[in-house]
Amino acid sequence: MLKERNQTFKLIFLFIDFLTSVSSFSIAFIIRYFVQEYQLFIYLDKWSYFYLGLLLSVSQIIAFISVDLYHPRRAHSFLDEFFTIATGVILNLIMILSLLFYFREVSFSRLVISYFILINIVLVTLSHFLFRRGLMNLRKRGYNLRRMLILGTGTNAHKIAETVKRHLFYGYVVSGFLETNEKLPSLSFPILGKIQNLAEIIREIKPDLVIYALGVQEKNYLKEAIDICDNEGVELKIVPGFSEFIASRGRVEGMDGIPIISIRDIPIRNGYNLFLKRSFDFLFSLVFILLFSPFYLMIALLIKLTSKGPIFIFQERVGLDNKQFKMIKFRSMYVQEKKDSDTIWTTKDDPRVTLIGRIIRKLSLDETPQFFNVLFGDMSVVGPRPERPFFVEQFKNTHRHYMRRHAVKAGITGWAQVNGLRGDTSIEERIEADIYYIENWSILFDIKIILLTPFIGLINKNAY
């Protein structure tokens, strides 16, 4: 449904982005050789710049596709789209510079390319924003809308209605629901009648699309709905009754023509993604350890001089596939009994925390030895934070979906951490953020989280 319209808008955005990239390069060229040096006419005979601009514009489209810029979710997140555009433009720069390395006989102004990068980020973001704003204004005036009738008033019907509301950009509007046995207390659109009156209601309101969204516990009305919609010439789409159990990245596969639905698709564990993730983790952790080694020595010395006990502690944590591993940290507390370390939650003004420990916990420096865990393969740079076995046993019985966090390796930082969900914060919100990361993973998402960590996640407001 959204896919059909998204393909149309994807072609429109491809065309807009190509023209915007051509315009950005032209502006960059004019600024460099006309505004700065007033040498425009001297450089007009250099056709190499024409070919460079064309190459940059075409490769820019390829880069945007590779960073998944045109995914429907970008339609309602300005910051996410801006970050993705900036990433795509930088990726394009890397590709072009790599290509130009092999053509050294042709020399191009670095300022032209630098100006192109900055201008293109601004103009592409602005063009996307203006196009969406203009189209939304047309939608509000009633242009090119498709009216939708939803069969059902339960959980599935509510979810599809909320999804349509979030994606108003694509031009779908819900006319209302047809009531069944299951009914939620609050629905965002009116109930137009009973599902048994489907034929009469279709003839009355003339919807463009009917969505069958009855739950598994409701009476099966599918055959009747198909016959009525066929007879009235209205398109019918079906939301599986068990869709509430399917993750946002669930997928449909085929085996000799038989559709098979994967309830939870985990991108990190699919094919080359696993190799890509591990390669990135290994290289990133190795570089970090080499660069940070002087600070390791300084922190170790401060810990040793200010309190008795070991420099490092090794805690049992639960990671990938519920398997336990020993996580390494700088010691930030006075030496205590193992059972207390494993079972007592850290609280504000915790007397167990040393003076140096309070500082390194606040700056998350006590976590930095975990890059050795990443190097050895027990953890990842980005992923859900690992918890102690004692609390895992508690949380899995009190918090729904908690164990889904162990479908990937535990991380030093994560989507929950950069959203401020650290220390003594909501477990439910952390679970939601971790599951979102697992279901929407990409290497660019990892890079985004890493870049955000020093600005948002480094200083831990909830560390005691």
Side-chain angles (χ1 to χ4, degrees), residues 60-102:
Q60 185 62 81
I61 299 302
I62 297 172
F64 282 156
I65 293 173
S66 68
V67 298
D68 203 18
L69 175 62
Y70 306 110
H71 192 282
R73 67 176 177 270
R74 311 289 183 200
H76 55 91
S77 176
F78 177 82
L79 289 178
D80 184 39
E81 183 173 50
F82 174 78
F83 180 86
T84 307
I85 289 171
T87 303
V89 173
I90 293 171
L91 178 61
N92 184 34
L93 172 65
I94 294 172
M95 291 192 302
I96 291 300
L97 291 180
S98 301
L99 183 63
L100 293 179
F101 178 80
Y102 296 98

Side-chain angles (χ1 to χ4, degrees), residues 32-293:
R32 173 67 181 90
Y33 290 117
F34 183 73
V35 175
Q36 289 188 334
E37 295 189 8
Y38 203 70
Q39 295 179 341
L40 178 63
F41 296 103
I42 296 175
Y43 283 91
L44 277 177
D45 61 338
K46 290 199 172 183
W47 283 94
S48 56
Y49 274 96
F50 171 80
Y51 295 123
L52 176 62
L54 189 62
L55 178 61
L56 277 169
S57 301
V58 172
S59 61
Q60 185 62 81
I61 299 302
I62 297 172
F64 282 156
I65 293 173
S66 68
V67 298
D68 203 18
L69 175 62
Y70 306 110
H71 192 282
R73 67 176 177 270
R74 311 289 183 200
H76 55 91
S77 176
F78 177 82
L79 289 178
D80 184 39
E81 183 173 50
F82 174 78
F83 180 86
T84 307
I85 289 171
T87 303
V89 173
I90 293 171
L91 178 61
N92 184 34
L93 172 65
I94 294 172
M95 291 192 302
I96 291 300
L97 291 180
S98 301
L99 183 63
L100 293 179
F101 178 80
Y102 296 98
F103 296 94
R104 297 186 178 182
E105 65 274 8
V106 181
S107 179
F108 294 104
S109 169
R110 286 173 292 182
L111 278 177
V112 170
I113 297 176
S114 300
Y115 291 155
F116 168 78
I117 297 302
L118 297 175
I119 294 170
N120 207 32
I121 291 174
V122 174
L123 289 188
V124 171
T125 303
L126 185 62
S127 65
H128 281 217
F129 174 78
L130 292 176
F131 177 76
R132 286 201 171 94
R133 178 59 62 88
L135 193 58
M136 286 298 292
N137 288 335
L138 291 176
R139 300 289 193 215
K140 290 177 181 178
R141 296 180 184 180
Y143 291 101
N144 195 25
L145 294 176
R146 294 198 74 193
R147 290 170 297 170
M148 179 188 301
L149 176 65
I150 300 179
L151 307 187
T153 49
T155 303
N156 287 341
H158 177 72
K159 283 183 177 180
I160 194 69
E162 291 301 310
T163 300
V164 170
K165 283 178 65 177
R166 288 197 304 270
H167 292 276
L168 289 175
F169 173 73
Y170 290 99
Y172 289 95
V173 291
V174 177
S175 298
F177 301 94
L178 292 192
E179 190 174 4
T180 56
N181 299 331
E182 182 187 5
K183 181 180 176 181
L184 293 181
S186 61
L187 294 170
S188 49
F189 298 98
I191 296 176
L192 302 178
K194 298 286 186 180
I195 196 169
Q196 290 80 4
N197 302 322
L198 175 60
E200 293 86 348
I201 293 173
I202 286 178
R203 286 192 288 268
E204 180 183 346
I205 70 172
K206 295 180 172 56
D208 300 293
L209 180 65
V210 173
I211 301 292
Y212 184 92
L214 273 66
V216 289
Q217 296 180 348
E218 297 181 275
K219 180 182 176 182
N220 193 325
Y221 196 75
L222 182 57
K223 183 180 184 304
E224 292 88 341
I226 292 174
D227 291 340
I228 291 171
C229 289
D230 283 346
N231 188 55
E232 297 295 334
V234 178
E235 183 181 6
L236 175 70
K237 291 186 181 292
I238 302 168
V239 178
F242 48 85
S243 63
E244 60 184 290
F245 306 114
I246 302 176
S248 63
R249 281 297 183 94
R251 69 181 189 274
V252 178
E253 302 172 288
M255 182 179 292
D256 281 344
I258 302 173
I260 299 174
I261 298 176
S262 294
I263 299 299
R264 286 187 293 274
D265 183 35
I266 303 173
I268 299 178
R269 303 180 75 150
N270 293 340
Y272 69 90
N273 287 343
L274 191 63
F275 173 78
L276 183 63
K277 174 82 167 171
R278 178 59 188 144
S279 299
F280 178 83
D281 284 341
F282 181 83
L283 293 174
F284 189 94
S285 58
L286 181 62
V287 171
F288 183 92
I289 289 169
L290 292 174
L291 295 177
F292 202 76
S293 53

